[in-house]
Amino acid sequence: MHPNGMKIFILTVVVVFIAAGCTTSNPYIYKHNEFNRASPDFNRIPKDRKNIKICYSKLSTKLSDLQKMAQKECGLYGKIARFQEHDFLHCPLMTPTGATFNCLRP
């Protein structure tokens, strides 16, 4: 391959990876040990929720959408959602920010 052709190929691959890294995903509820088959809660709906964590990207998600998601999930257990904190410890790169909501009895 011609040296200039190789440079163009490498540059193209780098640009594709950078563009893919800049895309965002929809917010979702983080489930600890979701893929751990040894977990006693594997593939089971929780009987109760004290809190939930929603992973999201600040670039594509409105805070009102997070509140609605949290309220819907906590509402399944007859509770209301109250924001607790943001963190960057549990969520993957495409949705790097985690918002934790407490599910409280009304």
Side-chain angles (χ1 to χ4, degrees):
M1 184 178 261
H2 194 271
N4 284 340
M6 182 60 90
K7 289 179 185 176
I8 291 172
F9 174 75
I10 291 172
L11 182 61
T12 302
V13 169
V14 169
V15 167
V16 167
F17 277 108
I18 289 172
C22 292
T23 60
T24 58
S25 294
N26 292 329
Y28 64 91
I29 296 174
Y30 173 79
K31 297 174 186 160
H32 183 68
N33 281 332
E34 179 176 13
F35 301 106
N36 179 4
R37 292 180 181 268
S39 171
D41 297 328
F42 177 74
N43 204 24
R44 293 191 181 165
I45 297 172
K47 294 178 183 173
D48 192 20
R49 278 206 185 268
K50 294 180 182 175
N51 57 42
I52 63 167
K53 181 180 297 290
I54 300 174
C55 294
Y56 70 100
S57 170
K58 288 183 178 182
L59 299 175
S60 64
T61 306
K62 296 177 187 174
L63 294 178
S64 61
D65 294 338
L66 297 178
Q67 184 67 38
K68 288 176 188 173
M69 284 180 69
Q71 188 57 51
K72 181 178 178 183
E73 184 67 20
C74 290
L76 296 174
Y77 302 94
K79 298 181 177 184
I80 58 172
R82 292 285 183 242
F83 176 77
Q84 179 183 357
E85 66 181 349
H86 286 286
D87 69 53
F88 300 96
L89 301 174
H90 301 98
C91 299
L93 268 178
M94 298 299 281
T95 52
T97 307
T100 302
F101 292 84
N102 290 326
C103 293
L104 307 170
R105 295 266 175 223

